[in-house]
Short mmCIF file of all heavy atoms in Angstrom, two decimals:
data_model
loop_
_atom_site.label_atom_id
_atom_site.label_comp_id
_atom_site.label_asym_id
_atom_site.label_seq_id
_atom_site.Cartn_x
_atom_site.Cartn_y
_atom_site.Cartn_z
N ASN B 355 -34.23 -71.21 75.51
CA ASN B 355 -34.10 -70.95 74.08
C ASN B 355 -35.22 -70.02 73.64
O ASN B 355 -36.38 -70.42 73.62
CB ASN B 355 -34.18 -72.28 73.29
CG ASN B 355 -33.04 -73.20 73.62
OD1 ASN B 355 -31.95 -73.09 73.09
ND2 ASN B 355 -33.28 -74.13 74.55
N LEU B 356 -34.87 -68.81 73.29
CA LEU B 356 -35.87 -67.81 72.93
C LEU B 356 -35.84 -67.57 71.43
O LEU B 356 -34.85 -67.08 70.90
CB LEU B 356 -35.61 -66.50 73.69
CG LEU B 356 -35.82 -66.56 75.19
CD1 LEU B 356 -34.53 -66.82 75.93
CD2 LEU B 356 -36.45 -65.27 75.69
N PRO B 357 -36.94 -67.89 70.74
CA PRO B 357 -36.95 -67.73 69.28
C PRO B 357 -37.37 -66.33 68.86
O PRO B 357 -38.08 -65.62 69.59
CB PRO B 357 -38.00 -68.76 68.86
CG PRO B 357 -38.97 -68.78 70.00
CD PRO B 357 -38.16 -68.52 71.24
N CYS B 358 -36.95 -65.97 67.66
CA CYS B 358 -37.34 -64.69 67.07
C CYS B 358 -37.45 -64.87 65.56
O CYS B 358 -36.57 -65.44 64.93
CB CYS B 358 -36.32 -63.62 67.40
SG CYS B 358 -36.69 -61.99 66.70
N ASN B 359 -38.54 -64.39 65.01
CA ASN B 359 -38.74 -64.43 63.56
C ASN B 359 -38.52 -63.04 62.98
O ASN B 359 -39.10 -62.06 63.47
CB ASN B 359 -40.15 -64.93 63.24
CG ASN B 359 -40.40 -65.03 61.75
OD1 ASN B 359 -40.49 -64.02 61.06
ND2 ASN B 359 -40.48 -66.24 61.26
N HIS B 360 -37.67 -62.95 61.97
CA HIS B 360 -37.40 -61.67 61.30
C HIS B 360 -37.30 -61.92 59.80
O HIS B 360 -36.24 -61.72 59.19
CB HIS B 360 -36.15 -60.97 61.85
CG HIS B 360 -35.07 -61.89 62.32
ND1 HIS B 360 -34.18 -62.52 61.47
CD2 HIS B 360 -34.75 -62.30 63.57
CE1 HIS B 360 -33.34 -63.25 62.18
NE2 HIS B 360 -33.66 -63.15 63.46
N SER B 361 -38.40 -62.36 59.23
CA SER B 361 -38.41 -62.85 57.85
C SER B 361 -38.14 -61.75 56.82
O SER B 361 -37.79 -62.04 55.68
CB SER B 361 -39.73 -63.53 57.54
OG SER B 361 -40.80 -62.64 57.77
N THR B 362 -38.29 -60.46 57.21
CA THR B 362 -38.08 -59.36 56.26
C THR B 362 -36.75 -58.66 56.47
O THR B 362 -36.55 -57.55 55.98
CB THR B 362 -39.22 -58.34 56.36
OG1 THR B 362 -39.24 -57.80 57.68
CG2 THR B 362 -40.57 -58.99 56.07
N ILE B 363 -35.85 -59.31 57.16
CA ILE B 363 -34.56 -58.68 57.48
C ILE B 363 -33.80 -58.35 56.20
O ILE B 363 -33.81 -59.11 55.22
CB ILE B 363 -33.73 -59.59 58.40
CG1 ILE B 363 -32.52 -58.85 58.96
CG2 ILE B 363 -33.33 -60.87 57.68
CD1 ILE B 363 -31.80 -59.60 60.08
N SER B 364 -33.15 -57.17 56.19
CA SER B 364 -32.37 -56.76 55.03
C SER B 364 -30.91 -57.19 55.18
O SER B 364 -30.47 -57.52 56.28
CB SER B 364 -32.42 -55.23 54.89
OG SER B 364 -33.73 -54.77 54.75
N GLY B 365 -30.19 -57.14 54.06
CA GLY B 365 -28.82 -57.62 54.07
C GLY B 365 -27.89 -56.88 55.01
O GLY B 365 -26.93 -57.44 55.52
N ASN B 366 -28.18 -55.60 55.27
CA ASN B 366 -27.30 -54.81 56.13
C ASN B 366 -27.80 -54.72 57.57
O ASN B 366 -27.27 -53.95 58.37
CB ASN B 366 -27.14 -53.39 55.57
CG ASN B 366 -28.43 -52.60 55.65
OD1 ASN B 366 -29.52 -53.17 55.76
ND2 ASN B 366 -28.33 -51.29 55.60
N GLU B 367 -28.81 -55.48 57.91
CA GLU B 367 -29.38 -55.42 59.25
C GLU B 367 -28.84 -56.54 60.14
O GLU B 367 -28.75 -57.70 59.72
CB GLU B 367 -30.90 -55.49 59.20
CG GLU B 367 -31.53 -54.21 58.64
CD GLU B 367 -33.04 -54.25 58.65
OE1 GLU B 367 -33.61 -55.31 58.32
OE2 GLU B 367 -33.65 -53.21 59.00
N TYR B 368 -28.49 -56.15 61.34
CA TYR B 368 -28.04 -57.08 62.35
C TYR B 368 -29.21 -57.47 63.23
O TYR B 368 -30.20 -56.74 63.34
CB TYR B 368 -26.96 -56.44 63.23
CG TYR B 368 -25.60 -56.32 62.59
CD1 TYR B 368 -25.38 -55.55 61.47
CD2 TYR B 368 -24.49 -56.98 63.15
CE1 TYR B 368 -24.13 -55.43 60.90
CE2 TYR B 368 -23.23 -56.86 62.60
CZ TYR B 368 -23.06 -56.09 61.47
OH TYR B 368 -21.81 -55.98 60.92
N VAL B 369 -29.04 -58.57 63.93
CA VAL B 369 -30.00 -58.99 64.95
C VAL B 369 -29.42 -58.65 66.32
O VAL B 369 -28.30 -59.09 66.65
CB VAL B 369 -30.28 -60.50 64.88
CG1 VAL B 369 -31.29 -60.90 65.95
CG2 VAL B 369 -30.78 -60.88 63.49
N TYR B 370 -30.12 -57.85 67.08
CA TYR B 370 -29.70 -57.46 68.42
C TYR B 370 -30.69 -58.05 69.43
O TYR B 370 -31.89 -58.13 69.17
CB TYR B 370 -29.72 -55.93 68.57
CG TYR B 370 -28.45 -55.25 68.15
CD1 TYR B 370 -28.11 -55.11 66.81
CD2 TYR B 370 -27.59 -54.70 69.10
CE1 TYR B 370 -26.94 -54.47 66.43
CE2 TYR B 370 -26.42 -54.06 68.73
CZ TYR B 370 -26.11 -53.94 67.40
OH TYR B 370 -24.94 -53.31 67.02
N TRP B 371 -30.16 -58.42 70.57
CA TRP B 371 -31.00 -58.85 71.68
C TRP B 371 -30.71 -57.97 72.90
O TRP B 371 -29.55 -57.74 73.27
CB TRP B 371 -30.74 -60.32 72.03
CG TRP B 371 -31.37 -61.29 71.08
CD1 TRP B 371 -30.87 -61.72 69.89
CD2 TRP B 371 -32.62 -61.96 71.26
NE1 TRP B 371 -31.74 -62.61 69.30
CE2 TRP B 371 -32.83 -62.78 70.12
CE3 TRP B 371 -33.60 -61.96 72.26
CZ2 TRP B 371 -33.94 -63.60 69.96
CZ3 TRP B 371 -34.71 -62.76 72.10
CH2 TRP B 371 -34.88 -63.57 70.96
N TYR B 372 -31.79 -57.52 73.51
CA TYR B 372 -31.73 -56.80 74.77
C TYR B 372 -32.69 -57.49 75.73
O TYR B 372 -33.62 -58.18 75.32
CB TYR B 372 -32.19 -55.34 74.60
CG TYR B 372 -31.18 -54.44 73.96
CD1 TYR B 372 -30.94 -54.50 72.59
CD2 TYR B 372 -30.46 -53.52 74.72
CE1 TYR B 372 -30.00 -53.66 71.99
CE2 TYR B 372 -29.53 -52.68 74.13
CZ TYR B 372 -29.31 -52.76 72.77
OH TYR B 372 -28.38 -51.93 72.19
N ARG B 373 -32.47 -57.26 77.01
CA ARG B 373 -33.46 -57.72 77.98
C ARG B 373 -33.74 -56.61 78.98
O ARG B 373 -32.91 -55.71 79.18
CB ARG B 373 -32.98 -58.98 78.71
CG ARG B 373 -31.87 -58.75 79.74
CD ARG B 373 -31.51 -60.06 80.40
NE ARG B 373 -30.49 -59.90 81.43
CZ ARG B 373 -29.97 -60.94 82.12
NH1 ARG B 373 -30.38 -62.16 81.87
NH2 ARG B 373 -29.05 -60.71 83.02
N GLN B 374 -34.91 -56.69 79.59
CA GLN B 374 -35.31 -55.69 80.56
C GLN B 374 -35.86 -56.40 81.80
O GLN B 374 -36.95 -56.99 81.74
CB GLN B 374 -36.34 -54.73 79.98
CG GLN B 374 -36.65 -53.56 80.91
CD GLN B 374 -37.53 -52.51 80.27
OE1 GLN B 374 -38.27 -52.78 79.33
NE2 GLN B 374 -37.47 -51.29 80.78
N ILE B 375 -35.08 -56.35 82.84
CA ILE B 375 -35.53 -56.85 84.13
C ILE B 375 -36.49 -55.84 84.72
O ILE B 375 -36.36 -54.63 84.50
CB ILE B 375 -34.32 -57.10 85.05
CG1 ILE B 375 -33.44 -58.22 84.45
CG2 ILE B 375 -34.74 -57.45 86.46
CD1 ILE B 375 -32.09 -58.38 85.11
N HIS B 376 -37.44 -56.33 85.47
CA HIS B 376 -38.51 -55.48 85.99
C HIS B 376 -37.97 -54.23 86.66
O HIS B 376 -37.07 -54.30 87.50
CB HIS B 376 -39.37 -56.28 86.97
CG HIS B 376 -40.53 -55.50 87.50
ND1 HIS B 376 -41.56 -55.05 86.70
CD2 HIS B 376 -40.82 -55.08 88.75
CE1 HIS B 376 -42.44 -54.40 87.44
NE2 HIS B 376 -42.01 -54.41 88.69
N SER B 377 -38.52 -53.07 86.25
CA SER B 377 -38.19 -51.76 86.83
C SER B 377 -36.75 -51.32 86.58
O SER B 377 -36.24 -50.45 87.29
CB SER B 377 -38.46 -51.74 88.34
OG SER B 377 -39.84 -51.89 88.58
N GLN B 378 -36.09 -51.93 85.59
CA GLN B 378 -34.75 -51.48 85.21
C GLN B 378 -34.75 -51.07 83.74
O GLN B 378 -35.71 -51.35 83.00
CB GLN B 378 -33.73 -52.59 85.43
CG GLN B 378 -33.56 -53.01 86.88
CD GLN B 378 -32.47 -54.04 87.06
OE1 GLN B 378 -31.58 -54.19 86.22
NE2 GLN B 378 -32.52 -54.77 88.16
N GLY B 379 -33.68 -50.41 83.31
CA GLY B 379 -33.54 -50.09 81.89
C GLY B 379 -33.12 -51.32 81.11
O GLY B 379 -32.55 -52.26 81.66
N PRO B 380 -33.41 -51.35 79.82
CA PRO B 380 -32.97 -52.48 78.99
C PRO B 380 -31.45 -52.65 79.04
O PRO B 380 -30.71 -51.69 79.21
CB PRO B 380 -33.45 -52.08 77.59
CG PRO B 380 -34.61 -51.17 77.83
CD PRO B 380 -34.24 -50.40 79.06
N GLN B 381 -31.03 -53.89 78.85
CA GLN B 381 -29.62 -54.24 78.90
C GLN B 381 -29.24 -54.99 77.64
O GLN B 381 -29.92 -55.93 77.24
CB GLN B 381 -29.36 -55.13 80.13
CG GLN B 381 -27.95 -55.67 80.25
CD GLN B 381 -27.84 -56.74 81.33
OE1 GLN B 381 -28.82 -57.39 81.69
NE2 GLN B 381 -26.64 -56.94 81.84
N TYR B 382 -28.17 -54.56 77.00
CA TYR B 382 -27.68 -55.24 75.81
C TYR B 382 -27.21 -56.65 76.16
O TYR B 382 -26.56 -56.87 77.20
CB TYR B 382 -26.53 -54.44 75.21
CG TYR B 382 -25.70 -55.19 74.18
CD1 TYR B 382 -26.15 -55.34 72.88
CD2 TYR B 382 -24.47 -55.74 74.54
CE1 TYR B 382 -25.38 -56.02 71.94
CE2 TYR B 382 -23.70 -56.42 73.61
CZ TYR B 382 -24.16 -56.56 72.32
OH TYR B 382 -23.40 -57.24 71.39
N ILE B 383 -27.54 -57.63 75.28
CA ILE B 383 -27.07 -58.99 75.50
C ILE B 383 -26.05 -59.39 74.45
O ILE B 383 -24.91 -59.74 74.75
CB ILE B 383 -28.24 -60.00 75.47
CG1 ILE B 383 -29.28 -59.65 76.54
CG2 ILE B 383 -27.71 -61.42 75.69
CD1 ILE B 383 -30.54 -60.51 76.45
N ILE B 384 -26.46 -59.34 73.18
CA ILE B 384 -25.62 -59.88 72.11
C ILE B 384 -26.15 -59.40 70.77
O ILE B 384 -27.31 -58.97 70.69
CB ILE B 384 -25.61 -61.42 72.19
CG1 ILE B 384 -24.43 -62.04 71.43
CG2 ILE B 384 -26.94 -62.00 71.72
CD1 ILE B 384 -24.23 -63.53 71.73
N HIS B 385 -25.35 -59.44 69.74
CA HIS B 385 -25.83 -59.15 68.41
C HIS B 385 -25.04 -59.97 67.40
O HIS B 385 -23.95 -60.48 67.70
CB HIS B 385 -25.73 -57.66 68.08
CG HIS B 385 -24.34 -57.19 67.75
ND1 HIS B 385 -23.39 -56.99 68.73
CD2 HIS B 385 -23.75 -56.88 66.58
CE1 HIS B 385 -22.27 -56.57 68.17
NE2 HIS B 385 -22.45 -56.49 66.86
N GLY B 386 -25.61 -60.09 66.19
CA GLY B 386 -24.93 -60.84 65.14
C GLY B 386 -25.49 -60.47 63.78
O GLY B 386 -26.58 -59.94 63.66
N LEU B 387 -24.71 -60.81 62.74
CA LEU B 387 -25.13 -60.54 61.37
C LEU B 387 -25.58 -61.82 60.69
O LEU B 387 -26.72 -61.94 60.26
CB LEU B 387 -23.99 -59.91 60.58
CG LEU B 387 -24.30 -59.56 59.13
CD1 LEU B 387 -25.42 -58.52 59.04
CD2 LEU B 387 -23.04 -59.03 58.43
N LYS B 388 -24.68 -62.79 60.59
CA LYS B 388 -25.07 -64.06 59.97
C LYS B 388 -24.38 -65.25 60.63
O LYS B 388 -24.88 -66.36 60.53
CB LYS B 388 -24.79 -64.06 58.48
CG LYS B 388 -23.37 -63.67 58.10
CD LYS B 388 -23.26 -63.59 56.58
CE LYS B 388 -21.86 -63.13 56.16
NZ LYS B 388 -21.74 -63.04 54.69
N ASN B 389 -23.29 -64.99 61.31
CA ASN B 389 -22.62 -66.08 62.01
C ASN B 389 -23.17 -66.22 63.42
O ASN B 389 -23.67 -65.26 64.01
CB ASN B 389 -21.12 -65.82 62.09
CG ASN B 389 -20.48 -65.76 60.71
OD1 ASN B 389 -20.85 -66.53 59.82
ND2 ASN B 389 -19.54 -64.86 60.54
N ASN B 390 -23.06 -67.41 63.96
CA ASN B 390 -23.45 -67.60 65.34
C ASN B 390 -22.47 -66.86 66.25
O ASN B 390 -21.28 -66.76 65.94
CB ASN B 390 -23.48 -69.09 65.68
CG ASN B 390 -24.51 -69.85 64.86
OD1 ASN B 390 -25.46 -69.27 64.35
ND2 ASN B 390 -24.31 -71.14 64.71
N GLU B 391 -22.98 -66.34 67.34
CA GLU B 391 -22.16 -65.56 68.24
C GLU B 391 -22.35 -66.06 69.67
O GLU B 391 -23.41 -66.54 70.03
CB GLU B 391 -22.55 -64.07 68.19
CG GLU B 391 -22.43 -63.42 66.81
CD GLU B 391 -20.99 -63.20 66.37
OE1 GLU B 391 -20.09 -63.25 67.23
OE2 GLU B 391 -20.78 -62.99 65.15
#
Side-chain angles (χ1 to χ4, degrees):
Chain B
N355 296 278
L356 293 95
C358 179
N359 181 291
H360 32 80
S361 57
T362 61
I363 192 169
S364 301
N366 68 339
E367 289 183 318
Y368 285 63
V369 180
Y370 273 74
W371 283 83
Y372 283 76
R373 73 179 182 183
Q374 188 173 23
I375 296 169
H376 182 64
S377 295
Q378 297 184 20
Q381 175 191 23
Y382 165 79
I383 301 173
I384 199 168
H385 76 284
L387 181 62
K388 53 185 177 181
N389 297 322
N390 297 338
E391 302 288 343

